[in-house]
Amino acid sequence: MKGFSRNRSSLIVLVSGILLLLLARQLPPDMSFAQVHQAGVLRVCHPAQLEPFFLRGTEGPEGSEATLARKIGQALGLSVQFELQSGWGQGVDPVDWGLRPGSCDLILGGIIYSLETRRLLSLLPYQDSAWVLLGKTPKVAVWLPFWGAPVDLLTEGLGPKAELVYPESLEEARRWLERGEVTGLLTLSEVANRLDVEGRWERQTIAPTQMALGLWKGRSTLKRAVEKALAKASLGPAP
């Protein structure tokens, strides 16, 4: 009986493997990169402004991720077409922002490599980062308009005695900090670096994180091409 059970299990595994192979042969090939390459244009969805990743420039978007997009396009031999998403960040569901698979090939805009964003996008981490407290408690401005930021977890990490206030813009958070209206600012390290070039405030790392670029799920050939482009541009994904 034991030999029969082993043989039966082996047969089931073999048949399952054959069925999966036949099914894979019936699936249409992924043409995502071929279509982008044929068009000659890499379309990039992004928010209107998210300092320091995207800034308004006289000749198109500027900032670190706008530069990253152009380097990827150059490595792929494609021109880059920036697709402004004016509704970015307005609401919990990115569908409400206007993001659609037909709108773009690549998605950039302060995306955090997290469970939330991995559920919706195929991600390529490109840079290690961190959540930091610039200044100190007890009164902290919270500036975390980044897709995938674990806001509740980070604010709880400041302790129960921390008084939290929420600025409407980064410029407002900057004014509060400079005028002493708050004692600290909770944000991403890239933002803290831009605000505190002279090192005026003490800094505490709250938790590590990673920045990522996004692609729509199922576009495997495009993802592989972009991953190679990152490496070619010496901007390889973080391990």
Side-chain angles (χ1 to χ4, degrees):
M1 289 297 293
K2 290 183 179 179
F4 174 76
S5 298
R6 285 197 296 268
N7 291 336
R8 184 180 179 184
S9 298
S10 299
L11 180 61
I12 292 173
V13 171
L14 178 61
V15 171
S16 299
I18 293 173
L19 289 174
L20 288 172
L21 179 61
L22 292 174
L23 178 62
R25 288 181 175 179
Q26 296 301 316
L27 294 174
D30 174 31
M31 302 294 291
S32 55
F33 178 63
Q35 291 169 349
V36 171
H37 189 266
Q38 184 177 9
V41 176
L42 184 70
R43 299 169 302 160
V44 179
C45 280
H46 65 95
Q49 181 155 326
L50 187 62
E51 189 176 345
F53 304 104
F54 276 92
L55 305 167
R56 294 187 180 93
T58 56
E59 298 182 1
E62 297 177 356
S64 61
E65 290 194 344
T67 299
L68 174 62
R70 291 186 176 97
K71 287 185 176 181
I72 291 171
Q74 183 178 17
L76 292 173
L78 303 171
S79 62
V80 175
Q81 180 176 312
F82 289 101
E83 300 288 349
L84 171 63
Q85 304 296 299
S86 58
W88 187 288
Q90 297 179 10
V92 177
D93 191 346
V95 173
D96 296 335
W97 306 354
L99 279 173
R100 298 291 186 275
S103 302
C104 51
D105 310 303
L106 197 62
I107 307 163
L108 281 165
I111 299 173
I112 304 302
Y113 188 80
S114 67
L115 180 60
E116 176 189 347
T117 49
R118 295 202 308 271
R119 284 172 177 166
L120 298 171
L121 300 173
S122 181
L123 297 179
L124 288 174
Y126 73 85
Q127 181 173 287
D128 289 330
S129 185
W131 304 109
V132 302
L133 175 62
L134 188 64
K136 56 187 178 181
T137 54
K139 189 172 183 180
V140 179
V142 179
W143 180 248
L144 300 171
F146 308 104
W147 189 2
V151 180
D152 292 342
L153 185 63
L154 291 171
T155 52
E156 288 173 4
L158 296 176
K161 295 183 179 181
E163 179 185 353
L164 307 179
V165 292
Y166 295 85
E168 293 185 0
S169 67
L170 181 58
E171 184 57 38
E172 184 174 48
R174 181 188 285 111
R175 289 198 303 269
W176 288 354
L177 192 61
E178 290 178 347
R179 295 174 182 174
E181 296 176 33
V182 295
T183 56
L185 172 64
L186 176 64
T187 190
L188 204 56
S189 61
E190 285 81 359
V191 177
N193 294 341
R194 189 173 179 87
L195 289 182
D196 193 28
V197 177
E198 299 177 356
R200 295 169 55 189
W201 293 281
E202 63 182 86
R203 184 179 305 198
Q204 178 184 348
T205 298
I206 305 300
T209 190
Q210 287 181 309
M211 308 305 301
L213 56 85
L215 302 97
W216 300 110
K217 287 184 178 292
R219 300 185 179 182
S220 56
T221 57
L222 179 59
K223 182 179 179 180
R224 287 196 295 270
V226 171
E227 190 170 14
K228 290 179 181 178
L230 281 169
K232 187 176 180 179
S234 299
L235 291 164

